[in-house]
Amino acid sequence: MDTDTKAKIDRIWETFWTGGVTNPLTVIEQITYLLFIKDLDEIENAREKNDLLLGIKTKRIFDKKHQNCRWGIFKDFEASKMYKTVQSEVFPFIKNLHTDKNSTYAKYMEDAIFIIPTPIILQRIVTAMDNIKMRDRDTKGDVYEYLLSKLSTAGKNGQFRTPRHIIKMMVELMKPTSNDVIVDPACGSSGFLVGAGEYLRDNNKSLFNDINKREHFNNTMFYGFDMDRTMLRIGAMNLMQHGIENPNILYKDSLSEDNEERSKYTLVLANPPFKGSIDDERISKDLLAITKTKKTELLFLALFLRILITGGRCASIVPDGVLFGSSNAHKAIKKEIIENNKLEGDNKHAKRCIQAICRCFYGYNNIY
């Protein structure tokens, strides 16, 4: 992304901060809402052009009553009128879009809250966003990635992003294919899913020439779960800005008894939260049967084994304790991984991890 675009994004960020909106997650969430509204208008414009060209009339996103909700209309309003329109018309409009079951975007916007403080602040943000040209998938993805890079300042809020070079390394180790069904059970901003999508675009371009594979890529390949609704919105928008039309980003407690998913996915990519321990009453009994513990790092490993199909693959970041812990729970999960699954490494780093596990549990090296 060019320096001019970065400078424009930085100015938008500064506008929020000078207006008193200083939580990085909140800033990105508000920008996400505005990007969503802008995208809806772009989709509507494309439909109108196609209808004119083909001489037909397809279903509209904006009916006659909601024309003021279109980005191309309200962006030219004076500040007070723009603010009133966005607050009293645009946000109620996008919150009610969930009634349209065919809307890709709507399910992530049901509880959208508008908190931009003043008309002048909103006008500056809308004008600045309108001046950022995001005409193609690469530019949209880069802009959103740059926004998300600012989450590095959000550690105090408990949100951390896996560095992009780590994601890239893990994805390249797993080599996603056009037939994979990929999941991140603690997806956050969906960085791993985006990384897998970008890998396929770079290494398997022919899949987009096959209608069935293209449909799978856009609708049934990518799944992500999280318990933070703000991150669900951000993660979904991240995938959509990277050209994945209908990602399955869902509210779900992956470790709970309510999560009944089994043997569904071919690939897990994850950096799950390691918060210490959780309430054992909400932990799935299936996971406790593998390793009786409250430690999330061990429970997530048990979850990965449960949700992968036979022959499925997993790459996950884990703390050192998983490799070297000597409790009964640590021994149980390592025994399950080594005796009932297959460990592979195609470079020195992966082999060292495997050797560490095997030395810790067995006292010798056992590499497959």
Side-chain angles (χ1 to χ4, degrees):
M1 186 169 60
D2 62 82
T3 55
D4 181 59
T5 302
K6 287 183 179 180
K8 290 177 179 177
I9 296 171
D10 289 340
R11 284 195 290 273
I12 293 171
W13 198 268
E14 290 168 7
T15 301
F16 273 102
W17 278 62
T18 57
V21 184
T22 58
N23 184 326
L25 276 176
T26 304
V27 173
I28 293 175
E29 186 177 38
Q30 293 297 301
I31 294 174
T32 295
Y33 295 145
L34 294 173
L35 281 173
F36 169 58
I37 295 161
K38 193 170 185 287
D39 283 348
L40 285 180
D41 196 30
E42 290 176 359
I43 292 169
E44 189 82 322
N45 287 332
R47 287 182 182 179
E48 289 172 347
K49 289 178 182 178
N50 287 337
D51 288 359
L52 185 62
L53 181 65
L54 299 173
I56 59 176
K57 189 170 184 178
T58 55
K59 185 178 179 182
R60 292 282 180 261
I61 299 171
F62 301 92
D63 57 24
K64 290 182 180 180
K65 295 180 181 178
H66 294 98
Q67 288 302 300
N68 279 353
C69 295
R70 297 182 66 165
W71 179 276
I73 301 295
F74 72 73
K75 73 181 180 69
D76 294 322
F77 289 170
E78 57 89 18
S80 59
K81 184 178 179 181
M82 179 191 294
Y83 192 84
K84 183 178 180 181
T85 299
V86 172
Q87 185 179 53
S88 62
E89 296 183 48
V90 175
F91 266 69
F93 173 73
I94 64 172
K95 286 162 67 75
N96 289 323
L97 278 176
H98 67 277
T99 57
D100 178 5
K101 297 187 183 201
N102 295 318
S103 171
T104 300
Y105 302 81
K107 59 186 174 182
Y108 307 114
M109 299 297 164
E110 294 178 62
D111 53 352
I113 300 173
F114 177 69
I115 62 168
I116 295 174
T118 69
I120 293 299
I121 295 293
L122 175 63
Q123 186 182 55
R124 288 176 181 169
I125 293 167
V126 168
T127 300
M129 288 180 62
D130 197 57
N131 288 330
I132 298 175
K133 303 305 178 186
M134 297 190 290
R135 296 177 179 173
D136 56 53
R137 179 193 62 81
D138 289 338
T139 306
K140 288 182 176 182
D142 287 346
V143 166
Y144 209 73
E145 281 293 326
Y146 185 64
L147 281 170
L148 290 176
S149 71
K150 296 179 179 293
L151 276 183
S152 62
T153 63
K156 62 183 180 181
N157 301 308
Q159 301 292 344
F160 297 92
R161 294 185 69 234
T162 307
R164 291 185 70 182
H165 65 283
I166 300 296
I167 291 174
K168 186 173 186 291
M169 179 194 73
M170 292 170 65
V171 170
E172 288 176 352
L173 282 171
M174 293 296 99
K175 297 180 175 61
T177 73
S178 59
N179 296 318
D180 271 319
V181 180
I182 307 170
V183 66
D184 181 347
C187 64
S189 64
S190 297
F192 281 104
L193 301 178
V194 167
E198 294 301 288
Y199 177 90
L200 286 164
R201 289 186 186 278
D202 293 339
N203 295 278
N204 197 344
K205 295 178 181 178
S206 62
L207 80 86
F208 298 100
N209 298 323
D210 183 311
I211 187 170
N212 292 324
K213 289 183 178 181
R214 188 170 66 246
E215 284 295 307
H216 175 52
F217 180 90
N218 282 315
N219 297 284
T220 54
M221 180 179 284
F222 300 100
Y223 292 80
F225 311 134
D226 208 287
M227 294 174 63
D228 186 323
R229 292 190 181 277
T230 296
M231 296 311 296
L232 288 174
R233 274 191 289 274
I234 290 172
M237 182 59 71
N238 194 15
L239 287 161
M240 289 185 279
Q241 292 296 310
H242 282 86
I244 297 167
E245 295 176 4
N246 190 25
N248 300 280
I249 307 300
L250 306 172
Y251 180 88
K252 184 176 291 188
D253 181 352
S254 293
L255 300 179
S256 76
E257 188 69 32
D258 296 332
N259 184 8
E260 298 179 350
E261 293 195 326
R262 291 171 177 78
S263 304
K264 179 177 178 179
Y265 305 101
T266 64
L267 175 58
V268 171
L269 293 163
N271 180 11
F274 308 124
K275 297 179 181 177
S277 63
I278 60 175
D279 182 1
D280 57 0
E281 291 184 2
R282 55 179 261 236
I283 302 172
S284 169
K285 292 183 177 61
D286 284 354
L287 304 184
L288 292 175
I290 297 174
T291 177
K292 191 169 180 57
T293 182
K294 296 180 183 179
K295 292 184 177 296
T296 55
E297 61 265 36
L298 303 183
L299 292 168
F300 268 104
L301 287 179
L303 173 73
F304 301 157
L305 298 177
R306 189 183 76 179
I307 63 178
L308 283 169
I309 67 167
T310 301
R313 300 108 66 214
C314 170
S316 176
I317 294 173
V318 296
D320 287 346
V322 172
L323 298 179
F324 305 110
S326 58
S327 71
N328 289 337
H330 284 86
K331 290 179 180 179
I333 191 65
K334 283 184 277 198
K335 181 177 181 180
E336 177 69 21
I337 290 172
I338 292 171
E339 294 190 351
N340 297 326
N341 295 274
K342 185 177 182 181
L343 291 170
E344 291 184 345
D346 60 1
N347 67 18
K348 290 188 291 185
H349 297 296
K351 288 181 180 179
R352 285 173 186 165
C353 289
I354 296 167
Q355 288 170 342
I357 293 175
C358 295
R359 279 197 301 271
C360 181
F361 187 69
Y362 288 114
Y364 63 86
N365 295 334
N366 185 14
I367 300 175
Y368 297 93

